[in-house]
Structures are given as C-alpha cells and as structure tokens.
Amino acid sequence: MEETISLRELFETLKKRLSLILVITLLAAAVSGAISYFVLKPVYKSSSQILVSQSAAGSLASIAGISLDDDAKYIETYNVILKSPYILDQVIKELKMDTTPEQLNGSVSVTQEGASQVVTISVTNNDPAEAVRIANEIAEVFQREIAQLMRIDNITILSEAELAENPAPVKPEPLLNIAIAIVVGLMAGVGLAFLLEYLDNTIKSEQDIEKLLELPVLGVVTKITPNEETESSSVSVQKKAI
Amino acid sequence: MFGKKKKNEQPLNRTLITHTDPRSPIAEQYKTIRTNIEFSSVSESIRSIVVTSSGPAEGKSTTVSNLAVVFAQQGKKVLLIDADLRKPTAHYTFRKDNRVGLTNVLTKQMELSKVVSRTDIENLYLLTSGPIPPNPAELLGSKAMGELLDGAFQSFDMVLFDTPPVLAVTDAPILASKCDGTILVVHSNQTATEAAKKAKELLMAAQAKIIGSVLNDKQQKESHYYYYYGK
C-alpha cells in the first residue's frame, strides 16, 4: 500500500485531533505546575566571597617572584581544597551537621569570578539560613586552614553570605518546568495523534473505497443531523445563508 | 444538551428523509445513487437489488428504505423485502405489523399478494420479515425464494432486499446470488478496510453481481454548495 504523505493530510490529522493535543498539553502543564509548586521542596542558595590577595610576605610565591598571572594557579588549587573532605569535615563538625562530606560537596560550588582573584562559594540548601551558615563557615574554615596547609596567609573574606529578608528559592523554577512540560506535552500529543491516525484503518472517503475495494461508488450519503430531521430544508437554508 | 442525548437514544426511529424532506441534500444524494444504479447496467435492467454491508449497524436498512422511496418516487412499483430474518427492522421504519411476512411466504403458508402491505408512500410496498425462523439461511436459499422472486417480478418493477451483515452470517451472499445486483454499504469512519475487503470477497465467491458501494454517514464538510443550488 503506497501512501504519499501530503502536507494537507498532515494538517487535517492535526486539526481532527486538536482537542486531544490541547488536552494532553494542558494536562502536562498542570501536572508540572502542581509538582513544582506543591511537591518539590524549594532550594535556597547563598554565597560568600573570598579574596585571594597578592601573596603575603614570607610566602613561597613572593620569594620566587611569581607574578599575578600565577595566582590563577593558586586559585585552582584553592578550589580543589575548598571542596575537599579536609575542609568540609571540619565544617560539618563545627556546625554539628548530620551529613557526610560527599553530600555537602554536592551542594557546594566554587567559582572564580572571571580572571579576578575573587572566589565565590555558593551553597544550596532547603533552609535559607542553613545555606548562609554553611557558606560562611566554609570561608572561615578555609581561611584558617590554608595558612597551615600552604604556609601563606593571603585569604581575606570579602563578603559574607547574608540571609535576605525574603529569600527566593533558586529551585524549582515553576515557569521553566511548565514551559518544558508544554513542549513535551505538545510533542506527545502530536505523536499520539499521528499514531491514532495510523492505527485507524477505517474507510473514510470515496477514494478509499475505489482504491482499496476496487468498487465503483454509487453515491455518498452525508450524516443525517437531527437538525435536518426535524426542520425543513428551507429553514436550514436560511441558517446557512446567514 | 439533554435534547441531543435523547435523540441519540432512538436508533430504531429511522426517518425516511427522502419521503419527509424530498428536496433535502440527503434526498438528492439518494437520487444520485438511484441514477447510478440505473446507469450501471447497459444490457439488462436491474430489477432486484440486495443491500448489505460487512458489519452490523452500518446503514443497510436506512439505505435500502430510502432507495426504495426514491425508486417509488420515480413512478416504479417497488417492493421492499426485509430479508434480515435475524434482526428485522423494516416494520419499525414503516410502522407496520410484523405478524406475517417473508417467512410465511417462503414456508408456503401464505400467498405473496396477501402478505405484502401498502405503505404511506405511493408505489412502495413492503414485505416484512414475519416470524423469526430457526434456519434463515436455508429459507433464503430455498427454491421457494426463487419462486417468490418470479412472483414479485410479475407485479413489481423493482424488488429491494434488506439483509443481515455479510461477515456475521451467510444470508446476504445467498440472496445476492439470486438477484441482479448487490450494493455494499460502507459506513464512513466505522467500517474497517479489512472487513469491507472480506465482505466483497464473500459476495464475489457467491457469484453476486456487485453494482457498487454506498459510502454512508460521511462527515459533512462542503455541504453549503448543496444548499445554495436550486433554492
């Protein structure tokens, strides 16, 4: 059975199942919205910043005359140290938290602000106050420990994390989730529409009969609507003419 | 809302639109079918037609009664026979009694002329099914059936048969082999391609002469055209 798919047939299919597609899309959007607002726990984010200054007197770097450029390498090292269990263990101990360094590691992200010597420590947590405490504690512990570890004291806490009055959660983002759900729902709806069309093997038009049954079509009778049964045709003529 | 539902609950209350509203677009469509039947045979005129379909509820009875009406409107003397001996409906459509009918004639209990009843439509006569027999296929295939047809041709110009679905029982192919023509009713959006093909095969195997098919219950789309024309 050779079938040529014409653009018009595709549009016809979509038009026929438009309600199905819309229902699926709206349903997906509603479910996604409900989950985002009622099921998912909001996650708050808090950041503290530390400044890695030019090496202090007595440090190895200044002896060797390492330029500003090489501070970047230090910062990379610091980033790794910041997230190491060595630091995080102490943070957990001092804050008396009920978590493992690995878990904490997942909620901490360390980023260097461009090519600057400022490093931002971001912490995400379900409790905004907790996020602030952890971010500040990591900065403090790091500042204290780095002096021992590398025998340099070039860390300054630039800005502490602060608890905003009305902390806004960074996750979930309901609007984004709904938008994604709409796109996915639309795709699923269109897919289902075409699937149903493909599975529907009923005869629909005169062409189908001639092609599939190879029988002449003597005539086509359209649907007898209740309107036409009860009212005379002249009434329906007037209606259609308007 | 409720009014609509109520109407849908009465499937047996067929309206003979060709009779009640002979100028409606749908009546015109039945007249087109009539014309096509008349032109479908060149050498011999078609005087007996079997209307059937692959499955149940595809519009056989509606089609056959409306066709009978449009043939009668043409001035032909038409006999409509309800040969659906399993689920007869013609007596509902024409609001007739079904105490005696086709089965009485086939079992030689009564004469054809005694059982045929007049309808409200001029030139249209009806032979209801009669009591439902235990062996419809045998009755329809019997010699008495041929005799009935011969008798009918003496007083009628056209004999139309309403039959059970082809795929369910073998009645329709048996009857189709005895008649001049067979019409296969196809219900748009309901008849499956495979079922229609199988029905055609069964009819062909029974030596039925299929005149063609009627596509029933098609969704109305560009119907405005019909309304404007001739009004």
Side-chain angles (χ1 to χ4, degrees):
Chain A
M1 192 166 65
E2 71 253 44
E3 269 186 71
T4 51
I5 300 169
S6 76
L7 214 56
R8 242 188 52 180
E9 276 173 32
L10 291 182
F11 274 118
E12 281 293 314
T13 310
L14 291 181
K15 221 167 81 183
K16 206 169 77 187
R17 312 268 183 199
L18 191 63
S19 52
L20 175 93
I21 295 170
L22 285 182
V23 164
I24 289 178
T25 307
L26 290 178
L27 210 68
V31 167
S32 155
I35 289 177
S36 314
Y37 278 111
F38 302 115
V39 178
L40 291 180
K41 278 187 198 161
V43 174
Y44 298 87
K45 187 177 179 181
S46 200
S47 312
S48 63
Q49 289 184 318
I50 53 172
L51 175 67
V52 182
S53 62
Q54 276 282 25
S55 316
S59 79
L60 290 169
S62 65
I63 293 167
I66 289 166
S67 65
L68 187 79
D69 225 23
D70 290 302
D71 282 337
K73 281 183 187 158
Y74 271 99
I75 291 168
E76 272 176 36
T77 314
Y78 290 167
N79 289 353
V80 177
I81 296 169
L82 261 169
K83 296 190 77 175
S84 66
Y86 180 78
I87 300 287
L88 296 182
D89 258 338
Q90 297 193 39
V91 172
I92 290 168
K93 234 177 259 169
E94 286 183 29
L95 289 179
K96 296 189 179 67
M97 286 162 71
D98 182 25
T99 177
T100 63
E102 286 78 27
Q103 280 173 327
L104 191 59
N105 193 337
S107 64
V108 176
S109 72
V110 179
T111 46
Q112 185 186 356
E113 296 294 329
S116 70
Q117 290 166 287
V118 178
V119 174
T120 304
I121 305 162
S122 301
V123 179
T124 55
N125 199 296
N126 289 335
D127 178 9
E130 186 76 4
V132 168
R133 283 204 302 157
I134 295 170
N136 287 334
E137 191 63 33
I138 290 175
E140 272 170 37
V141 171
F142 181 68
Q143 187 187 28
R144 193 178 66 218
E145 292 299 322
I146 204 73
Q148 285 188 14
L149 276 174
M150 300 185 74
R151 266 170 268 143
I152 40 171
D153 183 19
N154 62 345
I155 304 295
T156 322
I157 294 174
L158 194 62
S159 73
E160 288 196 351
E162 274 171 19
L163 183 58
E165 264 179 49
N166 285 316
V170 288
K171 267 198 299 186
E173 292 177 78
L175 286 181
L176 182 71
N177 288 357
I178 290 172
I180 292 170
I182 285 175
V183 172
V184 172
L186 214 58
M187 278 161 59
V190 170
L192 194 64
F194 281 119
L195 184 70
L196 286 176
E197 186 69 16
Y198 181 75
L199 292 179
D200 183 3
N201 66 338
T202 57
I203 293 173
K204 282 173 197 65
S205 63
E206 306 90 292
Q207 288 80 11
D208 287 350
I209 294 181
E210 275 166 7
K211 197 167 70 186
L212 302 169
L213 296 183
E214 289 158 0
L215 285 178
V217 179
L218 298 171
V220 179
V221 180
T222 47
K223 237 180 188 39
I224 302 174
T225 58
N227 181 33
E228 273 163 311
E229 279 177 37
T230 49
E231 296 171 37
S232 73
S233 65
S234 61
V235 175
S236 35
V237 167
Q238 280 171 356
K239 272 189 178 170
K240 298 274 173 180
I242 296 165
Chain B
M1 217 37 201
F2 292 106
K4 198 177 176 186
K5 200 179 177 189
K6 215 175 180 181
K7 260 167 208 153
N8 288 340
E9 279 171 355
Q10 304 170 323
L12 280 181
N13 188 12
R14 280 191 197 85
T15 40
L16 286 171
I17 189 158
T18 44
H19 177 58
T20 55
D21 195 0
R23 297 194 64 190
S24 66
I26 291 176
E28 278 320 316
Q29 288 161 354
Y30 280 111
K31 284 173 196 167
T32 308
I33 298 171
R34 178 185 69 192
T35 311
N36 284 335
I37 292 170
E38 281 164 355
F39 281 114
S40 63
S41 69
V42 187
S43 51
E44 53 188 295
S45 64
I46 293 173
R47 292 189 65 192
S48 52
I49 297 174
V50 168
V51 175
T52 190
S53 72
S54 57
E58 292 186 320
K60 295 177 291 295
S61 302
T62 311
T63 306
V64 78
S65 13
N66 279 301
L67 273 181
V69 172
V70 290
F71 272 117
Q73 283 168 352
Q74 214 182 16
K76 280 186 174 139
K77 217 173 158 198
V78 180
L79 175 64
L80 173 60
I81 300 178
D82 193 351
D84 190 341
L85 297 178
R86 297 160 199 268
K87 202 181 146 209
T89 52
H91 54 286
Y92 292 122
T93 312
F94 292 91
R95 305 209 163 78
K96 292 287 171 199
D97 202 60
N98 194 26
R99 274 177 304 164
V100 288
L102 178 62
T103 47
N104 300 89
V105 182
L106 290 179
T107 51
K108 312 264 180 172
Q109 292 167 344
M110 291 181 90
E111 288 279 314
L112 176 65
S113 53
K114 299 261 167 50
V115 190
V116 170
S117 56
R118 272 175 179 280
T119 63
D120 302 337
I121 299 140
E122 201 186 346
N123 287 327
L124 179 56
Y125 297 83
L126 177 69
L127 177 59
T128 56
S129 67
I132 293 175
N135 51 348
E138 285 76 13
L139 268 184
L140 293 174
S142 67
K143 245 164 101 185
M145 189 70 223
E147 288 163 19
L148 184 147
L149 261 176
D150 289 338
F153 284 145
Q154 282 168 16
S155 38
F156 297 98
D157 300 319
M158 187 70 119
V159 181
L160 296 171
F161 286 96
D162 188 7
T163 60
V166 175
L167 294 190
V169 286
T170 186
D171 300 12
I174 287 174
L175 210 50
S177 65
K178 292 178 184 291
C179 293
D180 297 339
T182 305
I183 293 173
L184 188 66
V185 176
V186 174
H187 194 290
S188 180
N189 262 330
Q190 187 185 316
T191 307
T193 314
E194 295 309 314
K197 273 186 187 164
K198 184 80 190 157
K200 187 199 166 192
E201 272 171 32
L202 285 173
L203 289 170
M204 297 289 254
Q207 309 288 318
K209 292 167 269 306
I210 304 177
I211 310 172
S213 59
V214 170
L215 184 63
N216 197 29
D217 226 3
K218 200 186 179 207
Q219 286 286 344
Q220 219 163 347
K221 267 181 196 163
E222 304 99 329
S223 62
H224 304 282
Y225 165 79
Y226 297 105
Y227 283 101
Y228 286 123
Y229 194 79
K231 299 285 171 142

